[in-house]
Amino acid sequence: IYPFTRKWVDTYPDEVDPGLAALRDTLQIMLGLEIDYYAMVNMSGFVRLVDALGGVRTYVIGRVQTEVSPAREGEDWITVDLSPGWQRLNGHEALAYVRERKSASDYTRMKRQRCMLKSVASQADPLTIVTRFSAISRAFGSSVRTDIPIELLPSLLRHGSSLDLSDIATVGFVPPYYTPIVDDRGKPTPDLLRIHAMVRWALNAESDTEFETGSETECRI
């Protein structure tokens, strides 16, 4: 959605980034949630953030052999050969891992992305943030686009510091349950009622709630 709507200035005349506004509104409909603000981190920022954290320890789902384009123009292409199991990945390896799409379906790739984000969040503990603050702030400096008002940042930081980022549940809205109908081109059609119901259930889950894929949901941390 984002790349196709970035120039929708007639639809979103008051938005700094029409594409992100269109994506926000689409997700509101899909998830049944009101989204107040957005933040987009580009691929270069993702690489820098992982490196600023000292790498990320994640559970590799199946062997991944791939070569992907670099995060920044002019850099070498990224080649990785990752075995299944626990691995500590640097920024470029993490980027290649979440972008690889040749060996499996898009749904598997998206699962890797969800689990990687969970891994990054779980390792961004207060001690790590404090000791690596300079590197983390540099990583975000030119890589983030957001409409969050600057006056809200202190409050967001206070609330964010109280979260248990190692206790994050991820849910994939995958076929066939969430897309029981396909259109005339064979493309899956989301069932919004089922998606909305899962979103409400997940947001009301307790710390000991077991999801369909187990207490740790689909990711291992």
Side-chain angles (χ1 to χ4, degrees):
I1 293 173
Y2 176 69
F4 288 107
T5 58
R6 293 176 65 179
K7 297 181 180 180
W8 281 18
V9 292
D10 291 339
T11 306
Y12 295 99
D14 300 323
E15 296 284 351
V16 174
D17 191 323
L20 285 177
L23 180 58
R24 175 200 63 208
D25 290 352
T26 302
L27 288 173
Q28 286 188 143
I29 295 171
M30 295 289 291
L31 300 175
L33 295 174
E34 182 176 350
I35 299 174
D36 297 299
Y37 307 106
Y38 59 74
M40 180 179 72
V41 181
N42 63 27
M43 290 190 292
S44 176
F46 174 76
V47 170
R48 291 173 177 170
L49 175 61
V50 171
D51 286 338
L53 292 172
V56 60
R57 184 174 181 268
T58 193
Y59 191 85
V60 174
I61 309 169
R63 187 177 184 183
V64 173
Q65 291 178 293
T66 192
E67 183 182 43
V68 300
S69 58
R72 291 184 286 270
E73 187 176 355
E75 293 183 340
D76 294 334
W77 279 57
I78 307 166
T79 302
V80 297
D81 185 355
L82 304 173
S83 300
W86 289 106
Q87 304 277 0
R88 177 166 288 277
L89 309 180
N90 63 30
H92 284 100
E93 291 170 335
L95 180 65
Y97 178 62
V98 298
R99 290 182 61 198
E100 194 277 331
R101 62 193 309 163
K102 298 177 182 177
S103 66
S105 69
D106 279 346
Y107 296 109
T108 299
R109 178 173 58 89
M110 289 184 283
K111 178 179 178 180
R112 284 197 231 107
Q113 293 170 354
R114 292 192 296 273
C115 292
M116 175 60 68
L117 290 175
K118 181 175 179 179
S119 295
V120 171
S122 69
Q123 291 170 59
D125 58 86
L127 179 60
T128 300
I129 297 297
V130 170
T131 57
R132 298 178 179 269
F133 181 79
S134 294
I136 293 171
S137 61
R138 287 195 301 270
F140 279 122
S142 60
S143 304
V144 176
R145 180 172 295 182
T146 181
D147 65 346
I148 300 174
I150 194 168
E151 61 268 19
L152 283 184
L153 291 179
S155 177
L156 285 176
L157 289 173
R158 284 196 303 272
H159 288 297
S161 64
S162 66
L163 297 176
D164 180 4
L165 297 179
S166 64
D167 185 26
I168 297 174
T170 63
V171 176
F173 299 115
V174 299
Y177 181 75
Y178 292 105
T179 57
I181 300 174
V182 296
D183 63 18
D184 56 352
R185 298 175 299 164
K187 301 295 184 181
T189 302
D191 186 317
L192 296 188
L193 292 180
R194 291 181 177 182
I195 292 174
H196 292 178
M198 170 52 81
V199 170
R200 289 193 300 270
W201 184 82
L203 291 178
N204 289 316
E206 302 293 338
S207 59
D208 59 348
T209 297
E210 289 200 8
F211 285 65
E212 293 177 359
T213 48
S215 59
E216 293 184 332
T217 71
E218 60 185 357
C219 306
R220 298 177 64 178
I221 297 294

